[in-house]
Amino acid sequence: MTDNRAPRGMRDFLVIWTGQVVSTLGSGLSGFALGIWVYRETGSATALSLITLFATLPNTLLSPLAGALIDRWGRRSVLLINNFGSGACTLIMAALYWAGVLEMWHVYVLVCASRCFGVFQLPAFAATTPLLVPRSQLVRANGMAQIGPAAGQIASPILAAALMGVIGVGGVIFLDCLSFLFAAVTLLVTRIPPVSIVSGEGRGTLLYESFYGWTYIRKRPGLMGLLLFFAFANYCLSVVQILITPLVLSFGTAKTLGAILTTGAAGALLGGIALGIWGGGGRSRRIPIILGFTLIQGATLLLGGLRPNALLVASALAIALFAFPIIRGSSEAIWQSKVPQDLQGRVFSIRRMIAGVAFPLAGASAGPLADHIFRPLLMPGGALADSVGRVIGVGPGRGEGLMFMMFGVLTLLSVAVVYVYRPVRNVETELPDVLGETGEAAA
């Protein structure tokens, strides 16, 4: 039978990608405005942290179920569900605000509900990419996918602060609703090809399919090792990002901290742009790229804690975050080319859940490690004041500086471990590709 479908390329991907970028920016705007409103209403840091809890809880609890539904219902369907469902939640929140009856419990419920729909977005978009993009362009496409979040980190606070003075908090939240609608339109005007690679694996009850992604990964040591390596790298980088605030405020002002954070976000944005232009070397192996840029990341973190200097810390953060989208985009391309298309929803959702555990772990451990272990070591009279303190200094912030350096070293050691672990080092040659050059099934 003749296939009359138009050849796939980057055009449809770019249309959908534009919608995702606008949606991400809209969420950043509403998140910033909502945080300002909550803190003004309550004056409580706990109230803010509860928003974070309700925003991240669905990813931990619902990722396996979302993965199974992505493979059952199709990529377009679940992305539309995400956009319309999340858009409805933000519309309700804006209406409650304009009516003057918005309360904290409304915010918690609606944020949690919106993120229940949003749990589909990243794994579904990642599973959609190889349906639209030729194999040689996967790394470039994944690099572009990193641009939206980085651009949102830079632009959202500035735009939201300006817009709040013009259209108010409710207007900013309503813009988020419109951004979801725009993303839905991009899905409706493009064609996502059907899944062409059917492995026949993992079929059964919804519960069985929800956790089959873990079974698939566990049976392939190369993918399992790559996932654990990425989760550990996430943990190290997350701890460092949490420690940026006390480290910088120990020798600088809030303005200094803002400039450093903006510089770091700019590094992440440039990394995504660079990968989008470069494309990861076409058909070159991606594992050397991943390990090489992780080495750069670890080395810059090691240097970033050396002295209490704003330029040094800003440079280290910018370079480390520049490397992050290149590492992530290259890793994404490996998974997209090794996992059958009809399993990608389940596998990618489990991936996201396991790699995402690093973020709450970092949040739970970074503070106690700094307060109770590392900071006392490098205060005057501390156990390391007369040894390590002679090199990196003694006093406030130096414990955090030592943690910077330690997690940089741990990152470097993780690269060495992965390099000597053959299943990960050779995952691209030992695991067969499921995609040919055009994105169709490999022979």
Side-chain angles (χ1 to χ4, degrees), residues 31 34-35 38-39 42-58 93 103-113 115:
L34 196 60
V38 167
Y39 194 72
T42 65
S44 169
T46 301
L48 285 175
S49 65
L50 284 174
I51 293 179
T52 302
L53 172 64
F54 285 108
T56 56
L57 201 58
M93 194 180 302
E103 298 182 13
M104 289 307 305
W105 72 268
H106 294 145
V107 173
Y108 297 145
V109 169
L110 289 170
V111 165
C112 185
R115 292 306 174 93

Side-chain angles (χ1 to χ4, degrees), residues 57-133:
L57 201 58
N59 179 58
T60 303
L61 299 178
L62 299 180
S63 281
L65 175 62
L69 295 178
I70 290 169
D71 288 334
R72 281 191 173 199
W73 294 348
R75 280 64 165 153
R76 184 200 299 272
S77 297
V78 295
L79 284 171
L80 286 172
I81 288 171
N82 161 50
N83 289 317
F84 286 124
S86 298
C89 292
T90 55
L91 180 60
I92 293 170
M93 194 180 302
L96 291 172
Y97 178 84
W98 282 327
V101 296
L102 183 63
E103 298 182 13
M104 289 307 305
W105 72 268
H106 294 145
V107 173
Y108 297 145
V109 169
L110 289 170
V111 165
C112 185
S114 177
R115 292 306 174 93
C116 287
F117 291 109
V119 76
F120 291 105
Q121 183 180 15
L122 289 181
F125 185 63
T128 300
T129 302
L131 296 175
L132 298 170
V133 176

Side-chain angles (χ1 to χ4, degrees), residues 47-350:
L48 285 175
S49 65
L50 284 174
I51 293 179
T52 302
L53 172 64
F54 285 108
T56 56
L57 201 58
N59 179 58
T60 303
L61 299 178
L62 299 180
S63 281
L65 175 62
L69 295 178
I70 290 169
D71 288 334
R72 281 191 173 199
W73 294 348
R75 280 64 165 153
R76 184 200 299 272
S77 297
V78 295
L79 284 171
L80 286 172
I81 288 171
N82 161 50
N83 289 317
F84 286 124
S86 298
C89 292
T90 55
L91 180 60
I92 293 170
M93 194 180 302
L96 291 172
Y97 178 84
W98 282 327
V101 296
L102 183 63
E103 298 182 13
M104 289 307 305
W105 72 268
H106 294 145
V107 173
Y108 297 145
V109 169
L110 289 170
V111 165
C112 185
S114 177
R115 292 306 174 93
C116 287
F117 291 109
V119 76
F120 291 105
Q121 183 180 15
L122 289 181
F125 185 63
T128 300
T129 302
L131 296 175
L132 298 170
V133 176
R135 180 186 168 196
S136 61
Q137 301 295 320
L138 279 177
V139 176
R140 175 173 284 114
N142 290 321
M144 294 177 64
Q146 312 301 314
I147 293 174
Q153 287 181 358
I154 297 173
S156 293
I158 300 171
L159 287 176
L163 289 169
M164 284 171 64
V166 179
I167 60 177
V169 173
V172 174
I173 296 174
F174 182 68
L175 283 181
D176 189 17
C177 175
L178 295 181
S179 75
F180 284 117
L181 181 61
F182 177 81
V185 171
T186 64
L187 289 165
L188 293 172
V189 300
T190 53
R191 182 183 63 83
I192 299 178
V195 172
S196 59
I197 302 173
V198 180
S199 65
E201 293 185 58
R203 297 300 178 189
T205 65
L206 183 59
L207 180 63
Y208 175 77
E209 291 183 14
S210 295
F211 291 95
Y212 185 76
W214 169 250
T215 303
Y216 183 91
I217 296 171
R218 183 172 50 82
K219 290 180 178 179
R220 290 156 179 84
L223 294 180
M224 173 63 83
L226 183 62
L227 173 58
L228 295 179
F229 169 73
F230 199 80
F232 183 73
N234 277 350
Y235 173 74
C236 292
L237 188 59
S238 298
V239 169
V240 167
Q241 288 181 283
I242 292 169
L243 295 174
I244 282 286
T245 297
L247 174 66
V248 174
L249 293 181
S250 70
F251 63 82
T253 64
K255 186 177 180 180
T256 306
L257 175 62
I260 289 175
L261 292 177
T262 300
T263 303
L269 176 62
L270 290 175
I273 293 173
L275 186 59
I277 296 172
W278 169 42
R283 301 183 185 181
S284 301
R285 291 187 62 198
R286 283 93 182 226
I287 288 295
I289 296 173
I290 293 170
L291 297 184
F293 277 92
T294 306
L295 277 174
I296 293 172
Q297 195 174 71
T300 54
L301 296 180
L302 175 60
L303 295 175
L306 193 58
R307 303 301 302 168
N309 180 280
L311 181 60
L312 181 64
V313 175
S315 300
L317 184 64
I319 295 172
L321 292 181
F322 175 88
F324 182 75
I326 297 176
I327 297 166
R328 181 170 180 173
S330 300
S331 172
E332 197 81 47
I334 292 175
W335 288 85
Q336 288 165 338
S337 60
K338 301 297 180 182
V339 179
Q341 290 175 358
D342 62 321
L343 296 177
Q344 286 185 3
R346 283 166 281 177
V347 173
F348 290 178
S349 293
I350 292 291

Side-chain angles (χ1 to χ4, degrees), residues 377-378 383-394 398 402 405:
L377 290 175
L378 285 172
L384 299 180
D386 293 329
S387 53
V388 177
R390 293 181 180 273
V391 179
I392 69 172
V394 175
R398 290 297 78 210
L402 180 59
M405 301 177 71

